[in-house]
């Protein structure tokens, strides 16, 4: 019998009761994912990336994601650090490095497709799995929405469709697994105009990375990020800038995630029963804060508009009064001039009469 989202939600109460009663729970699985020797991998050469965002556009098109608020050619989005979301499986960030201030560094971020994924080790319904091709896949049909994968991922990649009320999913880069199965390149690899992204068998990609480092030691650090981090990943990086300075973690070690989480997984059935309630509460609080903030902002704008209107009315009234006074002054002056002219003309006529 498969575990569906509806059945799982029906068990939430039971899981909560088990917690209260102090009953023990066993992890559904502590099997370690060893990866596949002949799997594929992708190499991102940070020194070649120019931040054009062509990879983002290709990812959006291939995965049929909603269009972004700003077009992909708008590079102003690089002014702030971004992370992947349910609507953006990959993002490029720009880093200004002090020693190389004339040339910023651009880094592409997405799921690293670990050889032994933390998300898979934390998922008690096995919604995540490492495929023979190298991608870490996600099965929505068995996912119960616990979001424990989001907590487990050391790279903070999985995102949740909070706005999708009826059938929310955990969203992340798929490594274009369907395209790989058809013999095609991943969308980002195919779209990169600078060939900053390379695709191939992982063993070959590692050799390519080592060869570049060996031929150009002045350009690259002697380290392939992802070769051993967290037991290794299928997304690899080489760089001329310390990875820590480009927002990448250097404290992960080489121990695979399952070895770190196997003990903690014993409590997953209990934790996962309460987790949706907790995350829903957090999301509700967040939404409430955003709503209050929006209301306060709207109130502030309304007050500013009202003050501006009052000042404008006062200024207009002053200008009208001044114009009225000026008009009256001009009118009085005109009357005086007319009277004077009439008197002058009368005096002239009288003078002419007396002369006759």
């Amino acid at each position: 019998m498969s575990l569906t989202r509806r059945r799982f939600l029906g068990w939430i109460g039971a899981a909560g009761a088990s917690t209260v009663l102090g009953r023990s729970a066993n992890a559904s699985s502590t099997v370690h994912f060893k990866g596949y020797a002949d799997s594929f991998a992708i190499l991102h050469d940070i020194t070649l990336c120019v931040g054009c965002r062509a990879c983002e556009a290709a990812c959006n098109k291939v995965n049929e994601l909603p269009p972004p608020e700003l077009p992909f050619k708008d590079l102003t989005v690089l002014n702030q650090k971004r992370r992947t979301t349910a609507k953006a499986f990959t993002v490029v960030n720009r880093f200004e490095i002090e020693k190389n201030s004339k040339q910023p560094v651009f880094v592409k971020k997405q799921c690293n497709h670990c050889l032994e994924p933390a998300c898979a080790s934390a998922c008690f319904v096995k919604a995540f799995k490492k495929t023979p091709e190298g991608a870490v896949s996600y099965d929505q049909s068995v996912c119960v929405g616990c979001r424990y994968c989001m907590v487990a991922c050391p790279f903070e990649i999985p995102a949740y469709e909070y706005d999708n009320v009826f059938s929310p999913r955990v969203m992340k880069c798929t490594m274009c697994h369907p395209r790989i199965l058809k013999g095609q390149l991943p969308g980002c690899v195919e779209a990169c105009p600078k060939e900053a992204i390379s695709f191939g068998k992982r063993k070959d990609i590692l050799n390519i990375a080592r060869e570049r480092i060996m031929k150009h030691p002045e350009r690259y650090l002697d380290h392939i990020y992802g070769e051993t981090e967290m037991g290794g990943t299928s997304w690899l990086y080489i760089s001329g800038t310390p990875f820590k300075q480009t927002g990448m973690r250097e404290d992960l070690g080489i121990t695979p995630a399952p070895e770190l989480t196997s003990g903690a997984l014993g409590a997953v059935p209990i934790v996962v029963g309460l987790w949706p309630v907790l995350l829903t509460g957090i999301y509700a609080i967040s939404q409430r804060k955003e709503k209050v903030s929006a209301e306060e902002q709207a109130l502030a704008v309304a007050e500013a508009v009202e003050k501006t209107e009052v000042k404008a009315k006062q200024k207009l009234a002053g200008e009208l009064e001044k114009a009225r006074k000026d008009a009256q002054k001009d009118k009085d002056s005109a009357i005086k001039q007319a009277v004077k002219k009439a008197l002058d003309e009368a005096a002239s006529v009288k003078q002419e009469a007396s002369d006759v």
Side-chain angles (χ1 to χ4, degrees):
M1 178 180 66
S2 62
L3 180 59
T4 63
R5 186 188 302 273
R6 180 174 295 180
R7 184 176 291 109
F8 168 74
L9 293 176
W11 288 351
I12 290 179
S18 298
T19 305
V20 174
L21 297 175
R23 296 176 62 184
S24 62
N26 297 319
S28 62
S29 174
T30 57
V31 176
H32 293 183
F33 292 83
K34 298 300 182 182
Y36 298 90
D38 210 28
S39 64
F40 293 98
I42 301 176
L43 173 67
H44 177 38
D45 189 334
I46 295 175
T47 68
L48 298 178
C49 184
V50 295
C52 66
R53 301 182 66 202
C55 55
E56 292 187 36
C59 179
N60 181 275
K61 181 178 180 180
V62 167
N63 292 286
E64 299 180 349
L65 299 174
E69 294 182 3
L70 297 175
F72 290 106
K73 291 185 178 180
D74 188 338
L75 302 184
T76 59
V77 298
L78 298 176
N79 294 334
Q80 59 183 351
K81 298 299 179 290
R82 299 176 296 151
R83 61 156 294 169
T84 56
T85 68
K87 299 177 181 179
F89 291 174
T90 185
V91 294
V92 175
N93 282 321
R94 181 180 64 205
F95 297 88
E96 304 291 345
I97 309 301
E98 292 183 5
K99 70 175 183 178
N100 191 23
S101 57
K102 294 182 180 179
Q103 184 66 39
V105 175
F106 301 95
V107 180
K108 181 180 180 298
K109 183 176 183 180
Q110 69 297 302
C111 174
N112 286 338
H113 298 277
C114 304
L115 300 185
E116 300 184 54
C119 56
S121 67
C123 183
F124 73 103
V125 295
K126 300 181 181 180
F128 290 93
K129 69 176 181 179
K130 183 72 172 179
T131 67
E133 293 75 30
V136 175
S137 65
Y138 165 71
D139 186 353
Q140 178 193 359
S141 66
V142 299
C143 178
V144 295
C146 68
R147 286 154 277 186
Y148 203 68
C149 54
M150 296 170 63
V151 179
C153 178
F155 303 107
E156 300 180 346
I157 293 299
Y160 194 69
E161 288 184 317
Y162 287 105
D163 296 332
N164 187 346
V165 178
F166 298 104
S167 57
R169 298 167 294 174
V170 174
M171 305 292 281
K172 71 173 192 67
C173 162
T174 65
M175 200 173 162
C176 287
H177 186 236
R179 289 174 61 89
I180 293 176
L181 292 177
K182 296 177 182 178
Q184 300 174 319
L185 291 173
C188 60
V189 178
E190 189 174 65
C192 183
K194 295 297 182 179
E195 297 184 355
I197 314 175
S198 304
F199 174 79
K201 294 297 179 66
R202 189 173 188 271
K203 57 185 178 182
D204 297 331
I205 290 295
L206 285 171
N207 288 334
I208 291 173
R210 294 192 187 101
E211 184 178 1
R212 291 186 188 180
I213 293 173
M214 182 178 65
K215 285 186 176 181
H216 303 283
E218 76 287 352
R219 179 189 299 177
Y220 299 102
L221 298 174
D222 188 12
H223 180 62
I224 305 173
Y225 192 94
E227 181 177 13
T228 58
E229 276 78 7
M230 293 298 293
T233 64
S234 292
W235 195 284
L236 308 166
Y237 294 86
I238 53 176
S239 172
T241 303
F243 292 105
K244 187 176 182 179
Q245 294 184 28
T246 58
M248 300 170 70
R249 294 184 61 178
E250 292 185 336
D251 61 339
L252 297 175
I254 62 174
T255 304
E259 293 184 22
L260 300 175
T261 59
S262 58
L265 284 177
V268 166
I270 292 178
V271 174
V272 90
L274 301 178
W275 196 244
V277 179
L278 174 61
L279 287 182
T280 301
I282 293 174
Y283 180 62
I285 293 173
S286 175
Q287 291 293 93
R288 175 59 182 167
K289 288 176 65 179
E290 291 179 2
K291 182 179 179 181
V292 171
S293 176
E295 290 175 350
E296 291 177 347
Q297 184 177 6
L299 180 60
V301 171
E303 290 178 351
V305 170
E306 184 179 358
K307 289 180 180 179
T308 301
E309 289 180 347
V310 170
K311 289 182 179 180
K313 288 179 180 179
Q314 291 175 346
K315 184 176 180 181
L316 178 61
E319 293 293 337
L320 290 174
E321 180 62 20
K322 183 176 181 298
R324 187 189 66 77
K325 290 180 178 180
D326 290 343
Q328 185 62 44
K329 185 177 179 181
D330 293 341
K331 181 179 179 181
D332 292 343
S333 178
I335 291 174
K336 288 180 180 180
Q337 289 180 1
V339 171
K340 184 178 181 302
K341 183 178 179 181
L343 291 174
D344 290 343
E345 289 177 351
S348 178
V349 171
K350 183 177 180 182
Q351 183 63 40
E352 291 177 355
S354 64
D355 291 341
V356 173

